[in-house]
Amino acid sequence: MSSKIKSVVFIIGLLFILPNLISQNQAREVSNHSITAFYVFGDSYVDPGNNNYIGSIAKSNFAPYGIDFVNQKATGRFSDGKVIADFLASYLGFENYVPYLDPDFTIQAKPAVGFASAGTGFDNRTAAVLNVIPMSMQLEYFKEYKAKLASTIGQEEADNQTTSAVFIVNCAVNDFAINYYGLGNVVGHPDGTTIEQYEEFVLQLLQEFVQGLVELGARRIAVSGVPLFGCWPNVITLYSSDPVNPLVTRNCNETLNSVGSDYNAKVQEALNTMQSSLANQGLKVAYFDTYTPMLNILQNPANYGKLQNPGTQVLTSSISYFLFVCLFVGFDVINKGCCGTGLLEQAVLCNPHSAICSDRSKYEFFDSVHLTEAASSVIAGANIAAINYITN
C-alpha cells in the first residue's frame, strides 16, 4: 500500500473516532482546573535554564541554542526550542515554564517551575563532574520554595497547592553516561562496582528522592527512566570499538542501550511497588517513558517528526491536530546532531560560530546529546497517557 493511500485510509478512519477524541479532550480541559502547579526536577532534558545562574560550563544560554524558541532567545534550554517539560506545561494549562534560580522568579499563582539542572544525576558524584545541581539539592530548593510559598499564601494553601500539583522527575542517564562509564569507557567502574550494583544504587537514590517529594506533600508524580543514550551522537562517536563506526556506519552502542533497558525495567517495578504501598495516602505515580519513543524514532524515523504542541490549544481542536499528525514530515537525521559536525558538539562547543542545519525539524538531535524541539514534542506526546493517569 502506497504512503498516499495509507494517509487517505488513516484520515477516513479519523472521521469515525474524532467525536470520541473531542469528548476526551473536553474532559482533559475540565480536569486541568484542579492542577494547581507544575514542578520539574532532573537534568538537561527538562532544565529551563537553572545552570545560567551557577558556576558551571554546562550552559546553553547562547546561540545557536534557542534559535526556534520565542524571539529566538537562548534561555539555557539545551535545544533549538522547547524541551519536554515545556510541552507538558502547555498541555496542563501553564503559560510559562521558568527556572527556579532565575533572580526574577517570584512566588505566583499556578506556577510551572523547573528545579532541574543540566548534567546532574541522583549520584552526587555525577553532579560534581560539571559542578551542577545534584538531585539532593533540587529537593532542598523545593523545600525552600515551599517555605516561601507558605509565607506568602499560608501553610494550608501551600499544602493544598502541593497536593494538587503535578511533579515530573527526569533523571539518571548522566549517572551512567558521565559517571559510571565515563567518557568513552564501557568496561566498568574504576572502584569495581558492577553495572548491576550501580543500577541498584541509582534506583535506591531515585526511590529516596520520590519519597522525599511524597513527604513534602506531592501526590501526582511522573518518573522517568533513562533515554536511549546508546544512540546519542556523541556516544556513537566516542563509545565505539569499531574504527569505522564513529564516522561512517554510526550504529548505536547496544551495550549502553541494554543498560538503559534493564534499569528502566527496574524503575517501573519500583514505581509499581511504591504505588501499591502508598495508594492509601492518595499517591498516583506513573512511569514516564523517554526510551521507547526514541527507539521508535530509531526504527521508523519517517513515521515520526515535528508535531504541533500537544497542549490545550491543540487538543481543543482534535481535527486540526490529528490531520497535522497524519501529514507531518518524518525525521531524516537520527545519528548526528544539527550543530557543527553533529558528532561531538554540545554546550560551549555548540556556539555562535558553529554551523547549524537549516531545518531542525528533520533532526532528532540538536547537538550531540540533546533533542530538537521536534523530538521533544514526540516524547511529550507519547507520555500524555501517563500524565492523564496521575491527574484524573
Side-chain angles (χ1 to χ4, degrees):
M1 184 182 293
S2 71
S3 59
K4 289 183 178 179
I5 294 175
K6 288 181 180 178
S7 294
V8 172
V9 171
F10 186 62
I11 292 172
I12 293 173
L14 287 176
L15 298 178
F16 291 95
I17 64 172
L18 282 175
N20 183 52
L21 289 172
I22 292 172
S23 66
Q24 289 177 352
N25 293 333
Q26 290 171 338
R28 171 76 265 155
E29 291 175 32
V30 171
S31 67
N32 281 346
H33 294 301
S34 66
I35 299 169
T36 54
F38 179 61
Y39 301 123
V40 182
F41 306 83
D43 56 30
S44 56
Y45 273 31
V46 291
D47 181 4
N50 282 303
N51 282 13
N52 296 350
Y53 311 103
I54 62 176
S56 172
I57 63 170
K59 287 184 169 66
S60 59
N61 55 344
F62 44 80
Y65 291 103
I67 189 171
D68 297 311
F69 200 72
V70 179
N71 299 322
Q72 295 187 311
K73 183 178 180 180
T75 61
R77 288 164 170 82
F78 279 80
S79 174
D80 59 307
K82 297 176 181 177
V83 294
I84 295 169
D86 287 302
F87 288 103
L88 298 178
S90 179
Y91 177 65
L92 292 170
F94 298 95
E95 292 185 5
N96 297 304
Y97 171 58
V98 299
Y100 176 66
L101 293 186
D102 186 338
D104 294 329
F105 173 77
T106 57
I107 300 298
Q108 56 189 300
K110 204 171 184 182
V113 186
F115 298 85
S117 175
T120 199
F122 286 111
D123 187 341
N124 287 345
R125 294 171 296 182
T126 303
V129 173
L130 295 172
N131 192 34
V132 296
I133 308 166
M135 292 296 283
S136 56
M137 189 65 216
Q138 291 183 34
L139 191 62
E140 290 301 315
Y141 278 141
F142 181 69
K143 290 180 183 178
E144 176 184 86
Y145 164 81
K146 190 173 178 183
K148 292 178 182 177
L149 184 65
S151 66
T152 302
I153 65 176
Q155 189 64 55
E156 183 177 356
E157 285 302 312
D159 290 340
N160 289 338
Q161 178 165 300
T162 304
T163 301
S164 299
V166 169
F167 289 76
I168 303 292
V169 180
N170 184 89
C171 193
V173 68
N174 293 319
D175 291 314
F176 298 103
I178 294 177
N179 187 343
Y180 184 84
Y181 289 113
L183 210 55
N185 173 21
V186 292
V187 294
H189 205 259
D191 66 6
T193 301
T194 67
I195 185 58
E196 291 79 11
Q197 291 171 330
Y198 193 68
E199 287 176 17
E200 293 293 340
F201 172 67
V202 174
L203 182 65
Q204 180 61 38
L205 294 176
L206 179 153
Q207 291 172 289
E208 291 173 2
F209 185 88
V210 173
Q211 183 61 44
L213 290 179
V214 171
E215 291 171 359
L216 288 168
R219 292 297 181 270
R220 298 168 166 178
I221 310 173
V223 181
S224 76
V226 298
L228 195 72
F229 69 105
C231 294
W232 282 353
N234 74 341
V235 166
I236 294 173
T237 302
L238 295 172
Y239 289 46
S240 179
S241 58
D242 178 0
V244 177
N245 192 57
L247 295 177
V248 181
T249 315
R250 297 203 57 78
N251 291 322
C252 299
N253 186 298
E254 294 306 330
T255 297
L256 299 187
N257 284 343
S258 179
V259 168
S261 179
D262 290 344
Y263 173 75
N264 289 347
K266 293 176 181 178
V267 170
Q268 293 175 71
E269 183 178 353
L271 294 180
N272 289 337
T273 300
M274 184 170 288
Q275 175 68 80
S276 298
S277 62
L278 297 176
N280 61 342
Q281 296 184 29
L283 177 68
K284 298 190 78 173
V285 62
Y287 177 66
F288 191 94
D289 190 352
T290 56
Y291 186 101
T292 304
M294 292 178 70
L295 181 61
N296 291 338
I297 292 172
L298 174 70
Q299 294 174 339
N300 298 287
N303 292 347
Y304 296 88
K306 187 171 184 178
L307 309 181
Q308 291 188 18
N309 182 347
T312 305
Q313 299 95 331
V314 173
L315 289 175
T316 54
S317 179
S318 298
I319 295 177
S320 63
Y321 175 68
F322 284 96
L323 291 184
F324 182 91
V325 172
C326 180
L327 300 174
F328 70 75
V329 177
F331 290 113
D332 286 343
V333 184
I334 60 173
N335 58 14
K336 294 195 300 183
C338 166
C339 185
T341 65
L343 306 180
L344 284 172
E345 295 89 341
Q346 62 168 308
V348 295
L349 296 180
C350 176
N351 56 59
H353 302 290
S354 302
I356 60 169
C357 60
S358 59
D359 187 352
R360 274 75 64 186
S361 69
K362 301 281 185 69
Y363 281 68
E364 180 180 5
F365 295 95
F366 183 63
D367 62 19
S368 66
V369 169
H370 303 100
L371 303 171
T372 57
E373 178 178 287
S376 289
S377 74
V378 171
I379 291 178
N383 283 280
I384 293 303
I387 301 302
N388 288 347
Y389 167 73
I390 62 173
T391 56
N392 289 334

